[in-house]
Amino acid sequence: MTNQNNDSKEKRKQFWKERPHLAWGLTFFIVAVLIICVFFAFYRYQGLASGWSTVMMAFQPILIGFVVAYLMNPIERRIEKKMLKNRLKKAKDELKVRRSARNAATGISILIFCGIVVALIMLIVPQTIMSIQQLMVSLPDDLRSFQSWVNEMSAQNDKVEAVINQLNSIAGQEEDGHFSMQAIIDWVANEFLPASQNLIESISTGVFKAAKTVVNFVIGIIIAIYVLATKDKLKAQAKKLIYSIFQPVRANWLVNTIRQSDRIFGGFIIGKIIDSFIIGVICYVAMQIIDLPYPALVSVIIGVTNVVPFFGPFIGAIPCVMLIFLINPLQALFFLILVLCLQTFDGYILSPKILGDTTGLNTFWVLFAILTFGGIFGVPGMVLGVPVFGVIYYVVKDFMRMSLTKKKLPVEENAYRDLQEVDPKTKAVSYHSPENDQGRHKKRDNYILKRKKNN
């Protein structure tokens, strides 16, 4: 009985060894099914979703700390390298010098990060408050000018006038252009008061969450200091765990994949932040030159939404165009042209120059990643979809490279452009050509004639 079990185990092992692609495909299918099941479990069921939200809120300081440490790691590494450049030659205790340089670089990098955050707040918040105040002061005049423009349009077009009259009747506006008092009373009783109660509850909840987020951000900064100071130890522990679980071949591949993922994510995120900052500054300067309203507020919106690849500037342009349109429709048109010019400059010149080949994706796969991940995970999916898909693309590409090398087939993509077939025995590759077409057509015709004779 024992021999039979051993024989069956050996047969199963031999079966999977002879069919490695089937094993990889089955593993990929099972992992994909599990990911989809977990996603829909959290997405569909409110209990799991609320539990997941509670867990994420509890881990928010740790996530903030790791994100800050990840963003500041390149700066900390450069500062530490410059500090050690001349001190190691004169050092008597190399370990002590390295430790002091690491601590100093960590402190400087965190101070730089806090300085950037404070500078952005000091730059953005006063300008935003001033823009909102100007908007509230000028809003009645802007609405009156907008109404006058609508009246002129309706006087020139009978269809526009009919639509406006229909809207006025729905809103309860009288023929002399003033709203009826009864319509205002009904609107306050039925819509404004219930909405204001919900608004007060939402504001109180939002204030509580904002205060908790500020506290978590401060704790996250402290965690980032510890992560940066002990990053070598954390890396060593992670590698130790990987090599303790997997065989050396698998562990080497996994460590290399993580290293490449770090390169893709780091290059994309840091490059996109720099790119968005430059676009925001260019937008502010251009709006000042053209004399468009609310340059600080609009530039902040354009810069922040530019973090989303491809669609970001257009997403940010929608509320900005509506805001400027209330003041002057012609200026709204100028702003729309400015956004199109910024997107063209960013998409074809600035963004490729900064990001380079960090993701390794062409335009089609970038759009695919944005639409797919954005449709599933919303705005975070649109922001992180490109680097995540870049990692998936790298893993699939590396797997194909290993598989083709094992089969002794060409790895270069151009080798498969005009490929016709591969000889199963000799692995010789034949390419598409007119002579091959003639031979294949002749062989097919002979086969058809032979079938006809037999029939």
Side-chain angles (χ1 to χ4, degrees):
M1 189 68 180
T2 307
N3 293 332
Q4 290 180 355
N5 292 334
N6 292 334
D7 292 340
S8 61
K9 289 181 180 179
E10 290 296 330
K11 287 181 180 179
R12 285 197 296 269
K13 289 182 181 179
Q14 187 66 23
F15 176 83
W16 292 115
K17 284 182 180 180
E18 292 176 354
R19 297 166 178 82
H21 296 294
L22 182 61
W24 275 100
L26 185 61
T27 304
F28 180 78
F29 175 76
I30 293 173
V31 171
V33 169
L34 290 175
I35 291 173
I36 293 172
C37 291
V38 170
F39 169 75
F40 278 102
F42 285 108
Y43 182 76
R44 292 291 183 183
Y45 297 101
Q46 295 297 325
L48 289 174
S50 60
W52 175 255
S53 178
T54 304
V55 172
M56 292 302 295
M57 184 61 69
F59 278 94
Q60 190 180 52
I62 299 175
L63 293 176
I64 292 173
F66 274 95
V67 170
V68 172
Y70 187 78
L71 292 177
M72 300 309 297
N73 182 52
I75 298 176
E76 191 264 352
R77 191 167 56 241
R78 291 187 178 182
I79 295 173
E80 182 183 0
K81 187 177 180 180
K82 288 188 176 181
M83 284 184 172
L84 292 174
K85 187 175 181 180
N86 297 323
R87 294 177 63 184
L88 281 178
K89 298 178 181 179
K90 305 175 182 178
K92 296 180 180 179
D93 189 351
E94 183 178 342
L95 183 62
K96 186 177 180 181
V97 172
R98 288 186 180 275
R99 188 182 294 114
S100 62
R102 170 65 57 83
N103 294 333
T106 300
I108 293 172
S109 60
I110 293 297
L111 288 176
I112 291 174
F113 176 80
C114 294
I116 292 173
V117 172
V118 172
L120 288 175
I121 292 174
M122 296 296 293
L123 177 66
I124 294 172
V125 172
Q127 290 289 332
T128 304
I129 293 174
M130 188 182 300
S131 300
I132 293 174
Q133 288 175 347
Q134 292 176 358
L135 176 63
M136 297 301 294
V137 170
S138 62
L139 186 60
D141 295 334
D142 296 336
L143 289 176
R144 279 193 289 270
S145 62
F146 177 71
Q147 187 175 8
S148 301
W149 178 76
V150 171
N151 292 333
E152 292 177 3
M153 292 291 294
S154 62
Q156 299 174 2
N157 194 316
D158 295 336
K159 293 182 179 180
V160 174
E161 184 178 7
V163 172
I164 293 173
N165 291 332
Q166 185 178 2
L167 293 175
N168 289 336
S169 63
I170 294 173
Q173 192 175 11
E174 296 178 346
E175 293 181 357
D176 59 354
H178 298 284
F179 287 98
S180 63
M181 183 59 65
Q182 185 62 39
I184 295 175
I185 293 173
D186 293 339
W187 176 78
V188 170
N190 299 327
E191 298 184 17
F192 178 75
L193 290 179
S196 63
Q197 184 177 0
N198 296 330
L199 181 62
I200 292 172
E201 293 178 357
S202 300
I203 290 174
S204 60
T205 305
V207 169
F208 175 75
K209 288 184 177 180
K212 193 172 182 179
T213 301
V214 171
V215 174
N216 289 338
F217 183 80
V218 175
I219 299 173
I221 295 295
I222 299 173
I223 293 174
I225 295 173
Y226 284 103
V227 171
L228 287 173
T230 61
K231 61 180 180 180
D232 291 337
K233 186 176 182 179
L234 293 175
K235 288 180 183 179
Q237 290 175 345
K239 291 180 182 178
K240 181 180 178 181
L241 178 63
I242 291 173
Y243 280 94
S244 66
I245 296 174
F246 301 99
Q247 294 294 328
V249 176
R250 307 279 185 186
N252 290 338
W253 178 83
L254 184 58
V255 169
N256 184 62
T257 302
I258 294 174
R259 190 178 294 115
Q260 293 297 326
S261 303
D262 173 63
R263 180 186 65 82
I264 294 172
F265 266 89
F268 177 82
I269 294 174
I270 296 174
K272 203 61 187 174
I273 291 174
I274 297 173
D275 174 61
S276 300
F277 177 76
I278 294 174
I279 290 296
V281 171
I282 294 175
C283 181
Y284 179 80
V285 174
M287 291 185 70
Q288 290 282 11
I289 294 173
I290 305 174
D291 195 20
L292 295 179
Y294 314 118
L297 181 61
V298 171
S299 300
V300 169
I301 295 174
I302 293 297
V304 171
T305 55
N306 191 67
V307 176
V308 179
F310 195 81
F311 297 108
F314 299 108
I315 295 173
I318 294 173
C320 297
V321 168
M322 295 175 63
L323 183 65
I324 299 174
F325 185 82
L326 292 174
I327 300 174
N328 192 325
L330 185 61
Q331 287 184 327
L333 178 61
F334 291 156
F335 174 74
L336 189 60
I337 296 172
L338 173 62
V339 171
L340 292 174
C341 293
L342 283 175
Q343 171 60 18
T344 303
F345 170 72
D346 182 49
Y348 291 97
I349 299 175
L350 184 62
S351 184
K353 186 72 175 177
I354 294 176
L355 297 178
D357 298 326
T358 53
T359 59
L361 301 176
N362 57 30
T363 306
F364 170 77
W365 290 119
V366 170
L367 290 175
F368 176 84
I370 294 171
L371 294 174
T372 304
F373 285 85
I376 297 175
F377 301 105
V379 175
M382 296 181 72
V383 176
L384 298 177
V386 174
V388 169
F389 191 80
V391 173
I392 297 173
Y393 187 86
Y394 168 79
V395 172
V396 174
K397 187 176 180 180
D398 190 56
F399 170 74
M400 289 192 298
R401 179 189 61 80
M402 291 188 298
S403 180
L404 291 172
T405 304
K406 188 176 181 180
K407 296 177 180 178
K408 298 180 180 180
L409 292 174
V411 179
E412 297 78 10
E413 187 174 320
N414 292 331
Y416 295 87
R417 185 160 295 177
D418 296 323
L419 185 141
Q420 181 175 332
E421 61 182 9
V422 177
D423 190 280
K425 295 181 179 179
T426 63
K427 307 296 183 183
V429 180
S430 59
Y431 291 94
H432 173 77
S433 64
E435 293 78 8
N436 290 337
D437 278 348
Q438 292 176 4
R440 188 170 67 253
H441 294 161
K442 186 176 180 181
K443 187 176 181 180
R444 183 194 61 188
D445 295 339
N446 291 335
Y447 176 76
I448 293 173
L449 290 173
K450 186 177 181 180
R451 289 288 301 273
K452 287 181 177 179
K453 287 179 181 179
N454 292 335
N455 292 333

